Amino acid sequence: MINYTIYENETSSQWVTFVHGAGGSSSIWFRQIRDFQKHYNVLLLDLRGHGNSNQQIKKAFKQKYTFSALANDILEVLDYLKIEKSHFVGISLGTILIRQLAEMHPKRVQSMILGGAILKMNFRSQILMKLGNMFKYVLPYLVLYKFFAFVIMPNKNHKQSRLLFINEAKKLYQKEFIRWFKLTAEINPILKWFRQVELNIPTLYVMGEEDYMFLPSVRKVVEKHYKSSQLFVIEQCGHVVNVEQPNTFNQAVISFINTTK
């Protein structure tokens, strides 16, 4: 089972589950824990090969990495902890896993909060994926990862997010990076499906106004999925909204969750 940490709130029956992105770990949520624990029970996860889930790789995770397999890793923890339903907060690639879980088990997902959501790979991100595929066996993955981080988070005020993700990525293994990178082969069809199909689950997209790679497609999807979806844009903020503007992020998300109880 992947590694998890829980912070309980004895006065609440609500759960909020946090899902980080590729190359991160549950530690990227350190500015959320205190605020969220005041209101809910909090569950933090380390995805396969990330954070404290990197010790079990050789034994436990021999099957192919797919979005549905990774979503099942999350479900396994919920089942083990007997959590019937949870609100889910994700960042970047973690948002894809939350949406995948909601496709497979909608009754387990009370609401979705998708920060720095990825709903479409634009031209620049398609080029990034092609470059990554060309060089993934040649270059050390950290060189590639640093390059990706600079392209996705280029501004001065994104520096903290870049460094945090690069420092977390240092804990990955080269083979693990390649396994995750191979997921990009199935990303386009799955995102196309997500853009087309609206789930009947309350959804809040929290995006930075400077998240130039992913914000335009999110705007279009929210217009189309108006029955279930809302968009909250944070000014002077890039891709990793929960790190760059934690107070604004926390207030917006907690307010949204309280309307969906």
Side-chain angles (χ1 to χ4, degrees):
M1 194 185 301
I2 58 172
N3 184 72
Y4 66 87
T5 309
I6 55 176
Y7 296 87
E8 292 187 44
N9 179 320
E10 291 176 5
T11 63
S12 175
S13 60
Q14 302 268 313
W15 281 90
V16 178
T17 301
F18 288 89
V19 185
H20 64 79
S25 78
S26 58
S27 67
I28 69 148
W29 303 110
F30 68 100
R31 289 179 167 170
Q32 278 66 58
I33 295 166
R34 189 176 64 184
D35 284 355
F36 280 78
Q37 194 190 4
K38 288 175 189 170
H39 305 274
Y40 323 105
N41 297 288
V42 171
L43 171 60
L44 303 179
L45 302 170
D46 284 324
L47 299 173
R48 289 185 194 185
H50 293 71
N52 289 325
S53 290
N54 67 1
Q55 302 305 318
Q56 311 105 302
I57 298 171
K58 291 180 180 131
K59 289 182 275 184
F61 301 132
K62 288 183 180 171
Q63 74 266 44
K64 190 184 170 197
Y65 283 30
T66 64
F67 286 111
S68 53
L70 294 163
N72 274 324
D73 289 349
I74 298 170
L75 187 68
E76 191 178 21
V77 176
L78 295 183
D79 288 345
Y80 178 77
L81 295 173
K82 296 182 172 57
I83 299 171
E84 287 181 24
K85 211 168 192 180
S86 177
H87 302 278
F88 283 86
V89 181
I91 196 77
S92 197
L93 190 123
T95 65
I96 301 178
L97 298 183
I98 291 170
R99 177 60 198 263
Q100 178 68 40
L101 181 66
E103 291 277 343
M104 293 157 54
H105 302 280
K107 291 183 178 173
R108 308 296 291 272
V109 181
Q110 203 162 344
S111 71
M112 299 187 287
I113 294 91
L114 309 177
I118 300 172
L119 282 175
K120 189 175 185 181
M121 305 302 280
N122 68 4
F123 179 71
R124 199 173 293 199
S125 49
Q126 300 274 12
I127 296 288
L128 264 186
M129 287 199 317
K130 285 193 170 76
L131 285 170
N133 272 314
M134 284 165 62
F135 294 112
K136 67 176 181 275
Y137 293 111
V138 183
L139 289 173
Y141 78 90
L142 260 181
V143 173
L144 277 177
Y145 200 89
K146 283 178 183 175
F147 175 64
F148 294 160
F150 269 101
V151 174
I152 295 168
M153 302 171 262
N155 295 8
K156 260 187 186 175
N157 55 312
H158 308 162
K159 185 179 178 182
Q160 189 187 3
S161 302
R162 278 199 308 270
L163 290 177
L164 179 68
F165 269 75
I166 289 164
N167 285 334
E168 283 301 316
K170 285 177 183 172
K171 299 169 191 172
L172 285 176
Y173 301 112
Q174 179 86 9
K175 281 183 182 174
E176 189 63 19
F177 175 81
I178 290 167
R179 283 187 192 121
W180 277 84
F181 202 87
K182 283 181 178 174
L183 272 175
T184 57
E186 63 169 290
I187 206 167
N188 283 330
I190 205 169
L191 292 182
K192 188 177 180 184
W193 174 257
F194 292 168
R195 292 195 302 273
Q196 288 172 347
V197 178
E198 180 174 10
L199 298 177
N200 189 28
I201 295 172
T203 304
L204 176 68
Y205 292 92
V206 186
M207 305 295 291
E209 69 169 348
E210 297 165 357
D211 193 354
Y212 66 98
M213 283 179 82
F214 303 115
L215 178 56
S217 56
V218 170
R219 284 193 193 278
K220 287 179 184 172
V221 169
V222 171
E223 280 176 23
K224 194 176 165 190
H225 296 178
Y226 62 89
K227 289 177 188 168
S228 64
S229 299
Q230 299 175 37
L231 171 61
F232 183 80
V233 178
I234 302 179
E235 294 179 3
Q236 296 180 313
C237 187
H239 182 59
V240 191
V241 283
N242 66 301
V243 172
E244 286 182 40
Q245 300 275 4
N247 294 335
T248 307
F249 178 86
N250 294 356
Q251 286 168 16
V253 175
I254 289 167
S255 173
F256 176 75
I257 289 174
N258 287 341
T259 66
T260 64
K261 284 183 184 178

